Amino acid sequence: ETQQPSAKQFTSLAAVLRQTISIAVMQNERQQAEKADLVIRVQLSGLTGSDYEQSGKMIAQGYAAAKAMARQLAPYAIRDDNEWRAYLAARQARVRTAPDQGPLVAVASPQAAIQRNAERELYRKLGTEPIAEEQLEDVISGVVAATGLPGAYYEWSNSPGSRPGYRVEFLERPDQMLLMHPAVSFGISNGEPSRAALNLGTSFIPFSTYKSRYMGEFDLGYDPGFRGEYYHPFDGSAYFVAPGLMVRRTHNSSYEGPARQTFLNDRFAGWFYAGLGTWRFVQFRAGLRGGYDSYSKAVILDGVTAESGPFADPELVWTFNNQDSGAIPSRGTRIEGAAGYSYRQRSFPYFHTQFTSFHPAGKRISLFARGQGDTSFGKNLNFFERFTLGGEHGLEAYRYQEFHANTLAAGAAGVLVHGPEIRSLSTQANLAVWYEAARLDLGSPGWQTHQSAAAGLFFPTPVGALGASVAFTENGKARFRLSLGSF
């Protein structure tokens, strides 16, 4: 028994959550006490069921309460070894154990469309032969994550007249769902444009759909725009279609010594893709993207004039991502890229891919590598279509978009040290040290090689990784940078 709480105790969210847990525990204890033959009441003055750090004191109070009721407990005592062994045998006889592997025999859901698709997907991935319990759990958790369902459970079914095996039931989606994922980004460094943006990712899942959803991404601030897509897989299979559209304004910086100019590209585009895979780990898609590019100025670079006009890009896109965090990962790899042919006033083929990979090298240390490759296969591109490098996601010591290349290859390697948790701020300090190098075809200036060595502190926050870094070029020129986004 505990004392009645007072309002003064609930001055923080943590205190309210603790009391919420205590109420649920207390209600359960009262219901069970009504069914008991004997109740031992333990006085826990000033303590609650969630005061785990006081467990030693609770145990001592429990022993004292039981000792005080020794006479009432005497009829329940076991007097010799034979009686104890008989008690253990009787208890073990009541235990029902399920095999550690078996076949999938049934898939259920209160919603017919979800049951039909989940059944097809689970049997496609697991088959009808015996499977390990761990394999079943992995597939179920993947389906729940991809569908946005509230959850699922499984049990061993051994009903008379049916094949014994695992029965899976997915919980009903109570209503249509609207999920929102806000993120904030900014970058500040001398000699380059300051960039701040609010990103709001949304997913709308209709009530009765399995994995189909409407996805939107709104960007406010630097490079504002909207991107929307309808993702629709077929009958629990790995195949899908994805039509979509976008409207976006992109700032493109050009440097000449310390001077900087910024030109705008307004893009209006739509697309239709068909593909294989899911958003969970890996996906391949092929299709056509088309639209209109409007340039703020007809910039001439190496004799190529950037002129506004329509474009059509048949392309192949790929994504692989099993990193454990979108802000500051400690393990996993992310690969993404695209290849295709852009039909426009000056057409060109293109290939782009990049990866980041993190590998634990100790309890608090991760080694990481980054790579990027872009090429137009010898075509001289206009200013807006060139591949850019420079800034916090490539050659940290250089200005944002300092290099505009027809072809580039870049790589980086470093060490990430995860510091102790800062409880007062609900975050953790991460020290990173890394080295980068890139080879670039800059058109008329020819091929150039540039390097950057950097070190920084990064802190995960609910809206991205907050970081402060200092980097040095191959000539020893230093650059300090503040950023919020992804590491």
Side-chain angles (χ1 to χ4, degrees):
E1 294 184 348
T2 61
Q3 292 181 340
Q4 285 292 104
S6 66
K8 295 181 179 180
Q9 295 177 244
F10 308 123
T11 57
S12 68
L13 178 60
V16 174
L17 291 175
R18 282 197 297 269
Q19 180 62 13
T20 303
I21 296 172
S22 296
I23 291 173
V25 172
M26 190 185 307
Q27 288 292 89
N28 181 63
E29 289 176 347
R30 288 175 177 174
Q31 293 175 5
Q32 298 305 315
E34 294 175 358
K35 304 174 184 178
D37 298 318
L38 179 66
V39 177
I40 302 175
R41 299 189 181 278
V42 183
Q43 295 298 325
L44 297 175
S45 178
L47 299 175
T48 70
S50 61
D51 288 328
Y52 307 114
E53 68 278 3
Q54 301 291 333
S55 59
K57 185 176 180 179
M58 292 181 184
I59 292 171
Q61 291 287 81
Y63 274 114
K67 187 175 181 180
M69 297 185 64
R71 183 180 299 177
Q72 292 90 330
L73 290 170
Y76 301 97
I78 295 177
R79 296 173 178 79
D80 55 46
D81 291 342
N82 290 333
E83 191 174 351
W84 174 246
R85 283 192 290 270
Y87 164 75
L88 290 179
R91 187 175 69 174
Q92 186 64 32
R94 295 195 298 269
V95 176
R96 297 181 180 180
T97 59
D100 58 1
Q101 65 176 12
L104 176 67
V105 296
V107 179
S109 169
Q111 295 164 284
I114 291 176
Q115 175 173 333
R116 181 178 65 255
N117 286 280
E119 187 175 53
R120 291 176 179 175
E121 180 165 358
L122 262 63
Y123 276 113
R124 175 174 60 84
K125 293 181 175 180
L126 299 172
T128 57
E129 298 301 315
I131 53 172
E133 187 174 4
E134 294 80 4
Q135 184 182 2
L136 177 65
E137 289 180 350
D138 183 63
V139 172
I140 292 175
S141 64
V143 169
V144 170
T147 56
L149 291 171
Y153 69 88
Y154 67 92
E155 62 183 359
W156 183 261
S157 176
N158 198 15
S159 303
S162 63
R163 184 187 182 192
Y166 292 112
R167 180 182 182 275
V168 178
E169 181 164 351
F170 290 91
L171 302 182
E172 182 178 15
R173 182 182 292 125
D175 202 347
Q176 57 193 18
M177 296 177 63
L178 178 63
L179 308 176
M180 295 188 178
H181 313 281
V184 177
S185 66
F186 72 77
I188 301 175
S189 186
N190 61 299
E192 66 178 39
S194 297
R195 303 172 310 284
L198 170 65
N199 175 275
L200 181 62
T202 62
S203 295
F204 175 73
I205 306 175
F207 170 69
S208 61
T209 61
Y210 183 58
K211 288 184 178 179
S212 299
R213 63 189 62 197
Y214 297 91
M215 296 179 290
E217 188 172 289
F218 299 85
D219 287 298
L220 301 175
Y222 201 79
D223 292 343
F226 167 76
R227 174 187 173 99
E229 182 174 276
Y230 175 60
Y231 171 77
H232 178 71
F234 293 102
D235 298 330
S237 72
Y239 301 98
F240 68 90
V241 294
L245 57 88
M246 71 174 290
V247 178
R248 189 175 186 86
R249 165 165 288 187
T250 304
H251 292 74
N252 299 265
S253 296
S254 175
Y255 302 89
E256 188 171 342
R260 171 175 56 86
Q261 287 184 287
T262 298
F263 306 100
L264 302 178
N265 176 12
D266 292 327
R267 171 167 288 187
F268 310 87
W271 60 82
F272 184 89
Y273 292 102
L276 173 69
T278 69
W279 283 114
R280 190 181 183 207
F281 288 130
V282 61
Q283 184 185 102
F284 295 94
R285 52 169 65 188
L288 177 66
R289 180 183 58 168
Y292 190 89
D293 277 330
S294 177
Y295 304 137
S296 61
K297 185 177 181 180
V299 182
I300 301 175
L301 181 62
D302 291 339
V304 179
T305 303
E307 298 181 88
S308 302
F311 65 91
D313 301 346
E315 65 177 3
L316 175 67
V317 181
W318 55 88
T319 302
F320 173 83
N321 187 1
N322 65 354
Q323 291 182 350
D324 59 355
S325 170
I328 304 178
S330 61
R331 65 178 68 240
T333 299
R334 176 173 180 166
I335 305 171
E336 55 191 11
Y341 198 94
S342 185
Y343 291 94
R344 54 180 67 223
Q345 291 179 344
R346 185 181 176 88
S347 302
F348 59 92
Y350 60 91
F351 174 89
H352 161 75
T353 191
Q354 62 183 25
F355 79 90
T356 56
S357 188
F358 292 78
H359 299 275
K363 185 176 181 181
R364 292 189 175 275
I365 298 176
S366 295
L367 304 179
F368 65 90
R370 175 188 181 275
Q372 179 177 339
D374 303 299
T375 183
S376 60
F377 299 96
K379 282 279 190 176
N380 210 12
L381 303 179
N382 75 42
F383 171 77
F384 294 94
E385 296 306 318
R386 287 198 175 187
F387 306 105
T388 61
L389 200 64
E392 59 266 34
H393 295 298
L395 292 181
E396 180 97 1
Y398 287 89
R399 293 170 292 186
Y400 176 68
Q401 294 182 339
E402 183 157 354
F403 303 105
H404 294 256
N406 295 309
T407 295
L408 67 85
V415 179
L416 182 64
V417 181
H418 309 283
E421 182 181 359
I422 306 174
R423 294 189 177 182
S424 60
L425 300 177
S426 299
T427 188
Q428 177 188 41
N430 296 267
L431 171 65
V433 179
W434 68 100
Y435 165 80
E436 303 171 88
R439 183 74 171 160
L440 308 102
D441 170 19
L442 301 177
S444 57
W447 285 88
Q448 293 184 7
T449 300
H450 293 281
Q451 303 171 62
S452 172
L457 280 175
F458 297 87
F459 303 85
T461 75
V463 293
L466 176 65
S469 64
V470 60
F472 298 88
T473 69
E474 64 270 22
N475 298 320
K477 185 177 180 180
R479 175 170 298 278
F480 179 75
R481 187 181 302 278
L482 288 175
S483 63
L484 177 64
S486 60
F487 170 68

